[in-house]
Amino acid sequence: MNYNKSFQTIDTQVVGEAFRIVVQSPIAIYQEQIAEAATALNTQFENTKNLLLNEPRGHRGMHGCVILPSAVASFRLLFFQHGASTDFKYEALVATTTALLECGTIELSDDNIYSIETVKGIHQVYVKLSESKDEVLSVHLTVKPARIAGERVVVDDERHYIVMEKPHHIKALVLDELAYISTWGITESAKYHDADGVIVYEKLDSMVRSVTFERDGYILRSPSVDSTLALTAILGDQAVQINNSIFGSSIELTRKYEVGYEIALKGYITGIHQFVVDSEDPLQQGFIIV
């Protein structure tokens, strides 16, 4: 066998959603401006991105993160993802900050505040560490409220979602009903293919349970920060203090009246991997199981 490519990654999960942080690969970004760097990543390196996102190394729910030095922040973060996924996720800020701190890749901050340069702007996070400072207990984000625009809810003035209550023929948003939920979600996603996602919910006292479908009908494995903000815009603060997924994870909002909401999430490193590509492998680009 002849290994003609190798990759190293740190894999993480945040409320059930998977993020693959690229440590070593043929991806080389030299542009100084982050918009130009993001364009280079989005328009080049297709083979490498497919190798990292697709089965057998990845899967439909995998998101890619590229970490670079930044002149204006603690680090620079670029995203790559499957075509039906959104190009920005707050959960990625948690995943990358956790991985970099727990692996000792960035210096500890005196005030536990870290800034992350993205193509969507610079985001600040506050990190709560263990007493020994070797474990990230939580990463705190401050996020703006979503707004309603016609039949859609808009997050960060750019990501558009359809929000609707659970239809009567689905008994509950639980794993036992997953087959019915999936079939319904694929149909609804096709109706709103130009939206970034379809969110279905059911009320549970001061919390909700929700399922988010991406543009191709794929079910997110997390409650999603975007979805939690969208539901709050529709139902109000009191109704969406906690947003639960059907897989057992949850996101809790804390109101910060002057700026929006605070969300505290915990990331988990699930693996540190070295992948290789055999030059004779007929499935070098991988595949997707839907």
Side-chain angles (χ1 to χ4, degrees):
M1 62 187 67
N2 179 16
Y3 296 143
N4 63 344
K5 288 183 181 178
S6 66
F7 311 84
Q8 291 181 350
T9 69
I10 302 172
D11 283 10
T12 61
Q13 68 92 355
V14 179
V15 286
E17 206 158 356
F19 296 89
R20 175 156 288 165
I21 302 165
V22 181
V23 176
Q24 179 267 320
S25 80
I27 296 175
I29 304 291
Y30 301 107
Q31 288 78 3
E32 293 184 5
Q33 299 299 318
I34 191 162
E36 295 174 356
T39 298
L41 180 60
N42 289 333
T43 57
Q44 301 174 39
F45 315 109
E46 287 305 310
N47 291 343
T48 298
K49 291 185 291 187
N50 287 336
L51 284 166
L52 293 168
L53 289 175
N54 293 347
E55 279 104 345
R57 300 164 192 85
H59 52 84
R60 172 56 187 84
M62 185 62 73
H63 307 281
C65 300
V66 175
I67 306 296
L68 298 170
S70 172
V72 296
S74 304
F75 61 92
R76 177 182 290 187
L77 173 59
L78 299 177
F79 303 87
F80 61 98
Q81 62 282 319
H82 293 285
S85 297
T86 58
D87 62 357
F88 177 86
K89 288 182 179 288
Y90 283 106
E91 292 86 344
L93 307 182
V94 178
T96 52
T97 302
T98 299
L100 292 176
L101 286 172
E102 292 193 350
C103 291
T105 308
I106 58 174
E107 292 289 334
L108 292 176
S109 165
D110 292 336
D111 57 5
N112 293 329
I113 295 176
Y114 300 85
S115 55
I116 305 165
E117 183 185 6
T118 76
V119 74
K120 308 298 183 182
I122 296 178
H123 297 266
Q124 282 195 336
V125 299
Y126 171 79
V127 176
K128 185 176 181 180
L129 293 168
S130 64
E131 187 173 348
S132 56
K133 298 187 181 300
D134 59 356
E135 180 186 358
V136 175
L137 301 179
S138 58
V139 178
H140 297 246
L141 311 168
T142 300
V143 292
K144 298 184 300 183
R147 62 179 176 85
I148 299 173
E151 67 172 358
R152 304 189 177 200
V153 182
V154 185
V155 177
D156 290 342
D157 294 324
E158 60 178 38
R159 297 185 296 282
H160 297 249
Y161 295 93
I162 299 294
V163 180
M164 57 185 71
E165 194 164 5
K166 175 187 70 64
H168 294 298
H169 72 273
I170 296 176
K171 295 178 182 178
L173 297 181
V174 293
L175 281 177
D176 288 346
E177 295 287 303
L178 186 58
Y180 299 104
I181 295 169
S182 298
T183 301
W184 178 87
I186 291 171
T187 301
E188 292 301 313
S189 298
K191 293 179 185 177
Y192 304 103
H193 59 87
D194 58 337
D196 290 294
V198 173
I199 305 164
V200 60
Y201 70 90
E202 61 180 347
K203 296 179 183 178
L204 303 168
D205 297 325
S206 63
M207 61 183 71
V208 296
R209 184 182 294 123
S210 69
V211 175
T212 300
F213 302 90
E214 295 195 302
R215 286 189 290 267
D216 59 355
Y218 175 80
I219 293 179
L220 285 185
R221 269 32 181 181
S222 84
S224 173
V225 172
D226 273 14
S227 300
T228 305
L229 293 171
L231 288 167
T232 302
I234 293 288
L235 301 175
D237 293 357
Q238 295 305 310
V240 196
Q241 293 178 28
I242 299 176
N243 179 22
N244 298 287
S245 79
I246 63 173
F247 303 105
S249 56
S250 64
I251 292 177
E252 183 174 357
L253 286 177
T254 301
R255 183 73 189 187
K256 296 184 73 172
Y257 287 97
E258 68 281 9
V259 290
Y261 301 97
E262 181 178 301
I263 296 175
L265 299 175
K266 182 172 174 58
Y268 298 88
I269 294 177
T270 58
I272 298 175
H273 301 297
Q274 181 171 13
F275 300 110
V276 296
V277 180
D278 190 329
S279 60
E280 298 179 356
D281 186 346
L283 297 175
Q284 291 187 24
Q285 297 304 303
F287 49 88
I288 292 294
I289 298 175
V290 179

